[in-house]
Amino acid sequence: MKYLATPPTEQRLSVYQQHHIGVMVNPNMGNKVDPRWPYWAADNGCFSDRWDMRHWLRWLASLDPTGCLFAVAPDVVGDADATFEVAVPWLDAISALGFPCAYVAQDGATPDELPWDQFDWLFIGGSTDWKLSALAAVCVTAAVERGVPVHVGRVNSGQRYKQFAALGATSADGTFTAFGPDVNLPTVVGWRQWSEQVLAFDV
């Protein structure tokens, strides 16, 4: 299972390249996309009080989609119904910029209520309780059965990484490597190697 971490320093870039670790960016971080990253994704930054969808779309339009796994549609943390309302009107605009579009499944989402024909990736977000719930697992399984890749947000432990990798998720992200990178970056490398060796594939 792919892993998207915080942007690497120049000294650690080779580790990202060697072990195929990607980067999650958002407009509030001030990061430019480095074409040397193995892959990347564009978060929406909705957690900021200053967030504005039109500003985000302008930022997204300024980027080259080459190497981008997906761009995350706007969402409302912990609220599936509110996420549907804010996300659906913008899905076509994201796709029109050339980016695969990720729709966030928030607390209470069910497979029957997800707009499957309007997005390219399913992003498992929401609270920790929701993310680890049986219903979230059902959503992951429904996506896998449809051939829709699944991304899981805030994966900062080996246990959670392995849980979602075993369910068939394609990728995950976390800030784990930002804290004590000399120790935690090799740990993430170990997770990646586990997915390749134990699951016998790297998706």
Side-chain angles (χ1 to χ4, degrees):
M1 183 170 73
K2 291 181 172 66
Y3 193 81
L4 294 96
T6 53
T9 62
E10 193 67 30
Q11 293 79 6
R12 295 189 174 94
L13 175 61
S14 62
V15 177
Y16 279 52
Q17 294 171 327
Q18 180 181 355
H19 297 285
H20 207 56
I21 295 170
V23 177
M24 179 69 84
V25 299
N26 72 67
N28 303 313
M29 295 167 61
N31 296 112
K32 294 183 178 180
V33 173
D34 190 329
R36 296 175 297 171
W37 296 342
Y39 51 88
W40 58 282
D43 205 350
N44 56 42
C46 275
F47 52 82
S48 170
D49 293 336
R50 297 174 295 174
W51 189 83
D52 177 84
M53 182 65 188
R54 290 175 178 80
H55 171 74
W56 182 76
L57 280 176
R58 288 194 295 270
W59 170 76
L60 194 63
S62 73
L63 303 177
D64 181 347
T66 302
C68 183
L69 297 181
F70 55 80
V72 186
D75 61 310
V76 178
V77 176
D79 192 328
D81 291 339
T83 291
F84 184 90
E85 294 297 325
V86 301
V88 169
W90 296 101
L91 298 179
D92 289 344
I94 295 168
S95 296
L97 292 175
F99 292 88
C101 184
Y103 181 90
V104 184
Q106 290 285 354
D107 296 42
T110 66
D112 292 342
E113 297 173 346
L114 295 172
W116 293 104
D117 59 342
Q118 295 178 261
F119 62 85
D120 304 293
W121 282 67
L122 182 66
F123 187 120
I124 302 298
S127 66
T128 298
D129 286 345
W130 152 254
K131 196 186 303 288
L132 302 181
S133 71
L135 187 53
V138 168
C139 289
V140 173
T141 299
V144 172
E145 290 176 347
R146 288 171 168 81
V148 175
V150 177
H151 179 82
V152 186
R154 298 199 328 273
V155 173
N156 292 305
S157 72
Q159 179 180 359
R160 192 171 299 183
Y161 178 94
K162 293 177 181 179
Q163 174 182 343
F164 283 101
L167 282 173
T170 302
S171 62
D173 74 82
T175 57
F176 187 66
T177 61
F179 306 97
D182 289 341
V183 174
N184 292 342
L185 182 54
T187 299
V188 169
V189 169
W191 300 348
R192 296 271 298 118
Q193 291 173 338
W194 174 90
S195 71
E196 295 170 354
Q197 297 169 2
V198 176
L199 297 181
F201 65 87
D202 176 30
V203 295

